[in-house]
Amino acid sequence: MLTICLDNKNDMICDNLGVNEAGHLTFAGHDTVSLAEKYGTPLYLLDEDKIREKCRIYMGAMKKHFGEASMPLYAGKALCIKDIYRIMREEKMGIDVVSSGEIFTASAGGFPMENSYFHGNNKTDSDISFAMDKGVGYFVCDSVTELLAIQKEAEKRGSIQKILLRITPGIDPHTHQSINTGRVDSKFGAAIETGQAKELLSLALRQKNIAVMGYHCHIGSQIFESEPFISAAEIMLSFSADMRDELGFEAEIINLGGGMGVRYLPDHPLIDYEANIAEIAKHMRMICDERGMKFPAVRMEPGRSIVADAGMTLYSAGTVKIIPSFKSYVSIDGGMPDNPRFALYGSPYSVALANRMNEECDFVCTVAGRCCESGDIIQEDVKMPKPERGDIVAVMTTGAYNHSMASNYNRIPRPPVVMLRGGEDKLIIRRETYEDMLSCEL
Ligand SMILES: *Cc1c(COP(=O)(O)O)cnc(C)c1O
C-alpha cells in the first residue's frame, strides 16, 4: 500500500490542509497540535465549511445539468450524527437513510423527513412502521416481500406511500469486491436481466397504497471515472423506456445512487464532480431523445464525497518498535475501533507527523493501533520523521466511514468529535466514558 510524506506542498491532498510557521499541520485553518492539546487524543475533526462546499458543488451541478427538479441526497451511513442533519437541512439537501437508527438520528437533528429516502435490503416490519411514523418521504423498495409489507402497513394507516424500486443494472464498476453492489448477483434490488425488475414493477403498480415514483440503483463506491455512472444511467433509462412501452409506466425520478470517489493519496486523481455530472447528463439526454422520453428528475446519493476530506483523526504516538532489517512500527492510542477501514478493505490513507511537518520523512513504518489484533493497522509503509512518544500522528480524509463504523472493541471508548467552522472549534460529541460503555448492561 502506497503512502506519502507530507513534506512537500504537492502532497497536500486537499485544500483544507496546510503547514504553519511552527511547522505544525493545519486543518481548516486550525493548528492541529493545539487542538490535540485542548481536546486530547484520539480525536476526530470535522471541517464544516468543506462539507457545505461539497453539498453546494453537487446541488449546483445537478440543478444546472439535470434541471431544477433534481437534487443530491446525502448518504448518512458515511457519517451519521445529529449535527450533519442540521447542515443538510440548511443546505436544502435530501438524505438517504438505511435503518431506523439513522431515521431517528436525522429526525432528532431536525431534518424534514419528507426529503428522505429509506434504503436497505431487509427492512423489518418495525422499520417500515417506524419510518412511516417519522414521515419518511420515499421508500426504496428492494424486493417483492418488502413491497407487500409496505403495502400492508400503508393500507392499515390509510396512507399512500411513495416508493422507488431498487434495480440492479448488472454492471461492474471495477472497485473493491465488498463495495461493489450493482452486479446481477448482488444482495440488493431486482435485476433487469432476470426479468425480476419488471415483475417487481408490475406488482408494485397494482398496489392500492403505493405510488411508484421511479427507480434507484447504486453501483459501488470510490469510483473515479464517469463511465460506470453513464452506463448505469443508460441502462436505467432504457429500462424505463421499455417499461413505458410494456406496462405503460414512465418513471418521474431516476436515482443513480452514490459512489463518486475521493482523493486519499496524492496519486489519486482530483475529481471534477461537476464535469462528471455534466457528462452523465449529456448521455441521459441522448437516450431520452432517442426513446422519446421526458427527462426525469435525477437524484444522486453522495456519502463519502461529501464528508471524507472534511475529516481528520489525530492520535498520539506511543511505542516505536524497530525490528532491524525487517520493519518498524509506530503504535498510536487509537486504531481499528475508530477506523476499521484498513483492517476491512486495506484502504489507503495519508498519514503525517503533525507537530514536525518541516522535518525530513526518512523513517518508514507501519502505523498500528492499540488493539490485541495483528490486523489492527491504520496504514503500512508510511514515511515520516521518526516519532517520539507523544508526537501527534494525523490521518487525513477520515470524515467518511470512520465515526460511523467505530466500535468499542477492546473496551476502547469512542473519540470525541470537534467541528471546525469559520475559525471556531466546537466540541459536538464528547469523548465516550467507561460508564457509557456499561450503560446498557443491567
Ligand atoms: C453506500 C451508499 C451510498 C453512498 O455511497 P458513497 O460511496 O459513500 O458515495 C449511496 N446510496 C446507497 C444505496 C448506498 O448503499
Side-chain angles (χ1 to χ4, degrees):
M1 200 60 55
L2 232 172
T3 51
I4 52 142
C5 174
L6 282 169
D7 62 354
N8 84 60
K9 255 208 147 331
N10 295 334
D11 283 351
M12 290 299 173
I13 47 177
C14 186
D15 60 9
N16 55 3
L17 299 168
V19 177
N20 64 16
E21 302 83 63
H24 294 173
L25 179 67
T26 62
F27 184 55
H30 293 256
D31 185 314
T32 56
V33 180
S34 311
L35 289 170
E37 271 164 23
K38 180 169 174 185
Y39 295 102
T41 57
L43 174 66
Y44 290 122
L45 301 176
L46 286 175
D47 173 0
E48 179 164 337
D49 298 335
K50 179 58 75 182
I51 296 172
R52 289 184 187 274
E53 179 192 320
K54 290 297 197 59
C55 290
R56 288 169 198 181
I57 289 172
Y58 271 98
M59 186 68 81
M62 288 187 70
K63 298 267 182 211
K64 180 171 165 198
H65 299 286
F66 295 135
E68 274 305 311
S70 298
M71 69 191 292
L73 317 175
Y74 165 66
K77 72 175 195 237
L79 174 68
C80 186
I81 59 177
K82 279 196 302 185
D83 229 37
I84 270 289
Y85 295 104
R86 168 184 62 81
I87 299 172
M88 295 306 145
R89 185 188 70 227
E90 289 172 5
E91 294 296 328
K92 305 207 160 33
M93 298 276 287
I95 58 168
D96 103 23
V97 288
V98 299
S99 69
S100 293
E102 286 194 4
I103 292 169
F104 184 82
T105 307
S107 196
F111 191 82
M113 296 306 287
E114 65 270 20
N115 297 328
S116 68
Y117 291 67
F118 186 19
H119 287 282
N121 63 309
N122 191 21
K123 303 174 188 73
T124 63
D125 289 349
S126 74
D127 288 333
I128 291 169
S129 158
F130 186 77
M132 288 187 191
D133 282 346
K134 293 285 183 190
V136 164
Y138 300 79
F139 280 58
V140 180
C141 176
D142 211 271
S143 65
V144 167
T145 53
E146 183 186 312
L147 177 73
L148 299 176
I150 298 170
Q151 161 58 30
K152 196 168 152 199
E153 185 64 29
E155 187 175 357
K156 207 168 91 190
R157 292 161 184 257
S159 59
I160 305 282
Q161 181 60 55
K162 288 186 281 188
I163 68 165
L164 302 182
L165 299 176
R166 178 150 183 173
I167 305 296
T168 329
I171 57 169
D172 184 347
H174 306 291
T175 54
H176 197 283
Q177 261 286 310
S178 47
I179 43 178
N180 179 349
T181 46
R183 295 176 3 176
V184 176
D185 60 358
S186 161
K187 75 168 179 173
F188 299 102
I192 296 173
E193 216 168 304
T194 58
Q196 286 161 305
K198 181 181 172 184
E199 278 166 33
L200 182 60
L201 172 64
S202 157
L203 188 63
L205 292 173
R206 281 183 270 132
Q207 305 305 311
K208 292 215 160 45
N209 297 78
I210 282 180
V212 186
M213 305 303 293
Y215 309 117
H216 167 274
C217 70
H218 173 72
I219 51 175
S221 203
Q222 188 60 354
I223 302 166
F224 288 112
E225 325 85 68
S226 58
E227 284 80 50
F229 294 104
I230 293 169
S231 317
E234 286 177 345
I235 293 168
M236 299 291 279
L237 282 176
S238 303
F239 175 71
S240 183
D242 291 346
M243 292 306 104
R244 175 202 55 193
D245 297 346
E246 292 170 35
L247 299 175
F249 171 77
E250 193 170 329
E252 276 176 45
I253 298 176
I254 299 282
N255 184 332
L256 298 175
M260 282 211 207
V262 161
R263 198 171 187 211
Y264 287 91
L265 303 177
D267 57 3
H268 285 165
L270 192 60
I271 296 193
D272 184 339
Y273 299 98
E274 174 167 3
N276 274 359
I277 287 168
E279 198 60 28
I280 297 165
K282 192 179 88 192
H283 284 81
M284 287 180 74
R285 286 197 196 283
M286 288 181 339
I287 304 258
C288 285
D289 289 348
E290 254 169 50
R291 303 288 303 254
M293 272 194 303
K294 194 171 134 254
F295 195 84
V298 181
R299 304 281 178 269
M300 292 181 94
E301 301 173 326
R304 184 193 308 277
S305 53
I306 298 284
V307 290
D309 49 22
M312 177 185 282
T313 311
L314 300 178
Y315 303 98
S316 295
T319 302
V320 177
K321 173 176 174 169
I322 297 168
I323 312 166
S325 66
F326 285 92
K327 66 195 282 190
S328 300
Y329 287 95
V330 171
S331 292
I332 52 171
D333 56 355
M336 64 189 288
D338 63 79
N339 182 0
R341 295 192 66 252
F342 185 87
L344 281 172
Y345 320 112
S347 302
Y349 281 101
S350 296
V351 183
L353 202 58
N355 55 322
R356 294 163 56 192
M357 293 299 289
N358 291 335
E359 293 180 35
E360 206 182 327
C361 296
D362 51 5
F363 184 70
V364 179
C365 59
T366 291
V367 175
R370 59 179 299 188
C371 289
C372 303
E373 293 273 338
S374 303
D376 175 20
I377 285 170
I378 291 292
Q379 203 60 212
E380 291 184 312
D381 298 323
V382 174
K383 293 197 204 84
M384 58 167 77
K386 183 168 166 259
E388 300 289 333
R389 193 177 178 88
D391 280 346
I392 302 300
V393 175
V395 179
M396 259 67 53
T397 330
T398 57
Y401 304 109
N402 273 235
H403 182 276
S404 65
M405 285 186 155
S407 76
N408 286 131
Y409 184 51
N410 281 188
R411 275 299 206 210
I412 293 172
R414 288 178 182 79
V417 179
V418 167
M419 186 69 88
L420 308 173
R421 169 172 34 153
E424 313 224 311
D425 50 287
K426 186 177 172 216
L427 184 70
I428 58 163
I429 301 181
R430 65 165 171 78
R431 188 177 300 283
E432 209 170 20
T433 64
Y434 302 129
E435 289 74 24
D436 289 334
M437 293 190 288
L438 292 185
S439 64
C440 296
E441 297 189 24
L442 306 174

